[in-house]
Amino acid sequence: MPTENFMDILFSNWQHTLQPFGVDQVAAEKAFHDLVAAYSTSGRYYHTLKHIDRVLSTIEILQGYTNNLAAVQLAAWFHDVVYDTQVQNNEERSADYAFKLLSNLGIPESPITTVTRLILNTKDHQAAVDDYDSQVLLDADLAILATNQVEYGEYAHAIRQEYGWVAKADYITGRQQVLERFLQRSRIYFTPLMLEFAEPSARGNIQGEIQFLLSG
């Protein structure tokens, strides 16, 4: 369970993200509790508030690359708000959720459109060469791949738990395909900072997980 201090920090970050838009404080607090409830549903082991906090922290490091920091931060909050491993349209549903909630908060249509576009780009983790906001969000979302071996092992185990309904052999096949697609890319990360400092670790961790999966 998230600690009270952790929740206070998250709420403060949420308020800070909404500050440029002049959102009513009562409405902002209700929206925050809705997000907390969504990210606390059963069946989530990795795609939780801890993941959102990590993504936001990485965006803070990479913010110098962004054109629209507030939109990137809002997209981070919503990009996994709908998460069901048995369906294929989580990103679309998350974008819809963001559109409705942000519209209800009175945020203008233009930034909401940007937020939904960013969320949809997390489906395939691809960004245009000049789409710096998507690049930052995607790099932050995948920052876990470059963590230390202990945390990476916890991440891999949590993903397996989220797919607990999948038979072991089928999971190994599917997970291996996902991981190998990352290795086949010319670069996992887009931003210069992540490419230089995170890319080698990410590739090493992914190769290690594949070896672990194949070892049975």
Side-chain angles (χ1 to χ4, degrees):
M1 290 291 292
T3 65
E4 184 175 348
N5 185 53
F6 175 71
M7 296 301 291
D8 287 342
I9 293 171
L10 271 183
F11 182 53
S12 177
N13 286 344
W14 173 245
Q15 289 178 306
H16 181 74
T17 302
L18 293 178
Q19 191 173 4
F21 304 104
V23 173
D24 174 77
Q25 286 301 301
V26 175
E29 185 168 358
K30 181 184 182 305
F32 176 75
H33 289 304
D34 288 345
L35 284 168
V36 169
Y39 280 104
S40 303
T41 52
S42 62
R44 290 177 183 260
Y45 296 90
Y46 173 69
H47 293 89
T48 63
L49 290 169
K50 182 180 178 181
H51 170 57
I52 300 307
D53 180 60
R54 178 189 287 270
V55 172
L56 289 168
S57 296
T58 306
I59 289 171
E60 188 173 345
I61 295 170
L62 302 175
Q63 63 180 297
Y65 297 114
T66 64
N67 289 322
N68 190 338
L69 177 60
V72 177
Q73 291 171 325
L74 284 172
W77 276 100
F78 288 95
H79 78 286
D80 285 325
V81 70
V82 177
Y83 187 74
D84 179 351
T85 57
Q86 301 194 47
V87 302
Q88 301 294 321
N89 63 343
N90 287 309
E91 292 80 8
E92 291 85 354
R93 291 165 64 195
S94 293
D96 289 343
Y97 185 108
F99 181 86
K100 293 172 184 175
L101 189 148
L102 295 176
S103 296
N104 289 337
L105 290 178
I107 292 176
E109 182 177 349
S110 178
I112 294 178
T113 300
T114 301
V115 169
T116 57
R117 178 181 62 79
L118 293 172
I119 292 170
L120 292 173
N121 280 346
T122 65
K123 190 176 185 74
D124 298 313
H125 282 93
Q126 296 289 349
V129 66
D130 59 346
D131 186 359
Y132 302 113
D133 291 334
S134 284
Q135 292 177 14
V136 168
L137 177 63
L138 299 181
D139 279 9
D141 192 27
L142 296 180
I144 186 66
L145 299 179
T147 192
N148 63 68
Q149 290 185 354
V150 173
E151 285 192 348
Y152 187 90
E154 293 171 350
Y155 150 74
H157 178 65
I159 295 295
R160 178 63 181 112
Q161 288 179 290
E162 291 183 339
Y163 285 87
W165 55 275
V166 178
K168 181 179 179 180
D170 293 337
Y171 179 79
I172 290 173
T173 299
R175 180 66 175 167
Q176 183 183 355
Q177 290 174 349
V178 170
L179 295 173
E180 287 182 343
R181 279 199 293 270
F182 280 119
L183 292 181
Q184 289 163 5
R185 289 166 52 158
S186 61
R187 53 196 291 174
I188 295 172
Y189 297 112
F190 296 97
T191 59
L193 187 68
M194 294 292 283
L195 182 63
E196 180 177 356
F197 294 103
E199 185 91 10
S201 297
R203 290 186 177 274
N205 282 332
I206 291 171
Q207 289 167 344
E209 184 180 354
I210 291 174
Q211 291 172 358
F212 175 78
L213 289 169
L214 296 179
S215 69

